[in-house]
Amino acid sequence: KPGLSSGLNVKYINQKIKASSTGLAFDIGFLSKTPIKNLTSGLTFQNVRLFSNFKDELPFNIKLGCGYRPINILTLGIDIDLPNDSDPKFHLGAEYLYVEIEGYEIAFRAGIKTGVDTGKFNLGFGIKSDKYSKYRFDYAYSSYDDLGDTHQISFNLKFDKTPKLDEIKIKSDKSDLS
């Protein structure tokens, strides 16, 4: 359906601490444009259990959220987690996109969480280049009261797409025809 996206994540879980446990679960999510310009909304169901032999079950969670882009370089987001094993949790965040510096896009991000004991404040940035080698680098900092600070780094490399049929030119040599 136009304006609606969906995604599915299937996970096989194997745990070996004192005893061995296995399980199979999935997450499913939907993202939709709304009638309000530049506003999208999302809904995710996490840890939908297909089977498991865990003593403590995976916590089922429903996430509801929306993102609003008041101007092209600023995105604001809010979501709520509704886990079945604890109180609701709210998250607020913003991303400022510093557009195009010699083929690069740089994004600055900040967020806060409520309803949690640790990890309340987050900062980060990302660098993306489609001009040179189609890569993305992201860094995030999170503060945790008792556990200290965490730093997360990710790097993605995108390979060239397969050319479309109308982009492929078929070469023929008449001397090969007999």
Side-chain angles (χ1 to χ4, degrees), residues 137-148:
F137 171 84
D138 289 296
Y139 167 80
Y141 162 83
S142 298
S143 65
Y144 288 91
D145 297 335
D146 296 335
L147 300 174

Side-chain angles (χ1 to χ4, degrees), residues 21-177:
S21 300
T22 59
L24 186 65
F26 69 91
D27 305 331
I28 187 166
F30 304 93
L31 185 65
S32 177
K33 293 181 179 180
T34 67
I36 300 170
K37 186 178 178 181
N38 299 325
L39 180 70
T40 56
S41 63
L43 172 66
T44 302
F45 300 96
Q46 295 178 302
N47 296 326
V48 178
R49 182 176 57 94
L50 296 175
F51 78 85
S52 75
N53 61 357
F54 289 107
K55 184 177 179 181
D56 298 321
E57 289 299 323
L58 293 170
F60 176 73
N61 189 28
I62 298 174
K63 279 189 177 183
L64 301 165
C66 63
Y68 179 63
R69 186 172 281 185
I71 57 176
N72 197 33
I73 58 173
L74 180 66
T75 303
L76 306 172
I78 183 170
D79 70 48
I80 180 172
D81 281 351
L82 302 167
N84 69 341
D85 64 345
S86 64
D87 295 332
K89 296 166 181 60
F90 294 92
H91 309 104
L92 301 169
E95 177 184 74
Y96 173 76
L97 183 62
Y98 194 86
V99 181
E100 204 61 44
I101 303 174
E102 295 183 22
Y104 296 93
E105 290 181 355
I106 301 173
F108 299 97
R109 303 177 187 111
I112 59 171
K113 299 177 188 177
T114 64
V116 295
D117 295 332
T118 60
K120 296 178 183 178
F121 182 69
N122 303 287
L123 285 174
F125 70 91
I127 300 171
K128 177 182 168 187
S129 171
D130 282 333
K131 184 176 180 180
Y132 299 109
S133 59
K134 298 185 181 187
Y135 72 86
R136 182 176 177 153
F137 171 84
D138 289 296
Y139 167 80
Y141 162 83
S142 298
S143 65
Y144 288 91
D145 297 335
D146 296 335
L147 300 174
D149 301 333
T150 65
H151 304 271
Q152 298 174 339
I153 296 173
S154 69
F155 182 78
N156 297 304
L157 181 62
K158 183 178 179 181
F159 295 97
D160 287 331
K161 296 177 186 176
T162 304
K164 295 178 184 176
L165 287 176
D166 60 347
E167 296 174 351
I168 300 173
K169 294 183 179 179
I170 301 172
K171 296 180 181 180
S172 65
D173 186 355
K174 292 183 180 180
S175 64
D176 289 344
L177 300 173

